[in-house]
Amino acid sequence: MGKHEFLTPKAIANRIKAKGLQKLRWYCQLCQKQCRDANGFKCHCLSEGHIRMMKIFQENPHRILDGYSREFESNFMDMLRRRWRTKRVFANKVYNEFIQDRNHTHMNATIWESLTQFVKHLGRSGQCTVDLTPKGWYIQYNDKDPETIRRQEELKKKEKMKVDDEYRTNKIIENQMLALKELKTESEDSLQGTELNRNENDTIKFGLSLTPKAPVVNIQPKLEEDESESSKTTTTTTSSQVEEKLKIAPKSFEKKKRKAESEIKRETKKPKL
């Protein structure tokens, strides 16, 4: 078999090596050729095909660079929108995932020399919100779709209404707590003892009694009422007795008179001796 035939060990090893990702600096975007080392890249640059593509590039370099830049930017933003949406993410993490595709547009073929310049461009154009931290650049995709903007506004309104309701309830609770505190302070002030102010010449007297003190009752008017009632009863009883005696007296007198007359008649009727 020949040296570079399909089933030779050398050809198989070359295909296995070519499956993985190679270094970006040894990739030719014009020819779409990936070289494995510096010697291979040097040989490719001296080849007739590469020289022919470079002559085409020299005729209109800005148009070719702008085309590669637009393609790189659109592919990068599509992956950012699909993968992370509006989450804040590390820019280097997004780029490492972007270059996993072997057929992606390489950054060395664009107008940006580094990832930092590309991230700053995204921030200036308003496509992403970028911020620099001690760890590096972070980016957040700004979704400008009208439907998503409408949903975001609705969510903001709901959150605002929720915050307003919570504020009202908290305000009511605070007012109630203040009212309770005022009532407590008023009750404490009313129950709070005062200092004893006295002269040195004044004497202090204490009264101690084991039995409870009986309540004082005014008995005199009751006694007067009882006496008046008893006098009324006595006067009524005496008057009634007198009347009864007067009624009984003539009857007894008549009986006695009749008895005396009968005795006289008897004596007169007796014969004389």
Side-chain angles (χ1 to χ4, degrees):
M1 292 190 295
K3 185 178 180 181
H4 299 291
E5 289 186 7
F6 184 73
L7 294 177
T8 58
K10 185 68 175 176
I12 294 170
N14 291 337
R15 285 196 298 273
I16 290 171
K17 291 178 182 178
K19 283 184 180 178
L21 293 174
Q22 306 294 323
K23 290 188 178 181
L24 298 179
R25 61 181 177 178
W26 296 332
Y27 182 82
C28 178
Q29 185 66 48
L30 288 173
C31 304
Q32 297 182 357
K33 172 72 175 175
Q34 176 68 55
C35 301
R36 287 197 293 272
D37 53 9
N39 188 24
F41 186 72
K42 182 179 179 181
C43 293
H44 170 71
C45 291
L46 297 174
S47 64
E48 293 181 0
H50 180 75
I51 293 170
R52 187 168 53 252
M53 292 298 295
M54 287 300 294
K55 288 179 180 179
I56 295 170
F57 176 76
Q58 289 176 0
E59 292 177 359
N60 196 353
H62 297 289
R63 183 177 63 82
I64 296 172
L65 283 176
D66 292 339
Y68 284 138
S69 300
R70 285 193 298 270
E71 186 178 356
F72 177 82
E73 183 178 358
S74 63
N75 293 334
F76 186 89
M77 294 302 295
D78 288 339
M79 192 193 69
L80 179 64
R81 183 176 63 254
R82 290 193 307 269
R83 181 72 173 81
W84 286 280
R85 298 293 294 173
T86 57
K87 292 181 180 179
R88 181 173 175 268
V89 65
F90 191 43
N92 198 16
K93 181 179 180 181
V94 182
Y95 180 72
N96 288 333
E97 189 165 341
F98 175 73
I99 63 176
Q100 295 300 317
D101 183 12
R102 292 184 61 194
N103 298 320
H104 74 280
T105 304
H106 290 69
M107 186 177 285
N108 56 4
T110 63
I111 59 175
W112 304 291
E113 295 179 358
S114 63
L115 181 62
T116 301
Q117 292 182 0
F118 178 65
V119 169
K120 289 180 179 179
H121 164 72
L122 295 177
R124 285 193 299 267
S125 61
Q127 300 181 65
C128 294
T129 302
V130 300
D131 58 329
L132 179 62
T133 62
K135 292 183 179 180
W137 288 93
Y138 280 83
I139 58 177
Q140 184 179 3
Y141 178 69
N142 296 330
D143 196 352
K144 295 182 179 180
D145 187 15
E147 187 66 22
T148 56
I149 292 170
R150 186 182 62 80
R151 286 199 299 268
Q152 288 175 0
E153 289 178 355
E154 289 179 355
L155 289 173
K156 286 180 181 179
K157 287 180 181 178
K158 288 181 181 179
E159 289 177 356
K160 187 177 180 181
M161 290 173 65
K162 187 177 179 181
V163 170
D164 292 340
D165 292 338
E166 290 178 355
Y167 177 76
R168 289 194 194 95
T169 53
N170 291 331
K171 197 69 176 176
I172 291 167
I173 292 168
E174 287 178 1
N175 293 331
Q176 291 177 355
M177 294 295 290
L178 289 172
L180 288 172
K181 285 182 180 178
E182 289 178 357
L183 290 172
K184 285 182 180 179
T185 52
E186 288 178 358
S187 61
E188 288 177 357
D189 292 338
S190 61
L191 296 173
Q192 190 175 3
T194 58
E195 293 183 358
L196 179 63
N197 295 324
R198 64 185 183 84
N199 296 325
E200 294 179 355
N201 298 325
D202 293 340
T203 57
I204 300 172
K205 295 180 181 180
F206 296 96
L208 300 175
S209 61
L210 298 174
T211 58
K213 189 175 181 182
V216 178
V217 182
N218 192 3
I219 305 171
Q220 187 173 1
K222 289 186 178 181
L223 293 172
E224 291 177 354
E225 290 177 358
D226 295 337
E227 288 177 356
S228 61
E229 289 178 358
S230 62
S231 62
K232 286 179 182 179
T233 52
T234 52
T235 52
T236 52
T237 52
T238 52
S239 61
S240 61
Q241 289 176 359
V242 169
E243 288 178 355
E244 289 177 357
K245 287 179 179 181
L246 289 172
K247 289 179 181 178
I248 295 167
K251 291 181 180 179
S252 61
F253 181 73
E254 288 179 354
K255 287 181 180 180
K256 288 179 179 180
K257 186 177 178 181
R258 289 174 184 173
K259 192 175 182 181
E261 288 177 353
S262 62
E263 287 177 357
I264 292 167
K265 287 180 179 180
R266 286 176 186 174
E267 289 178 355
T268 54
K269 287 180 178 179
K270 285 181 181 181
K272 294 181 181 181
L273 296 174

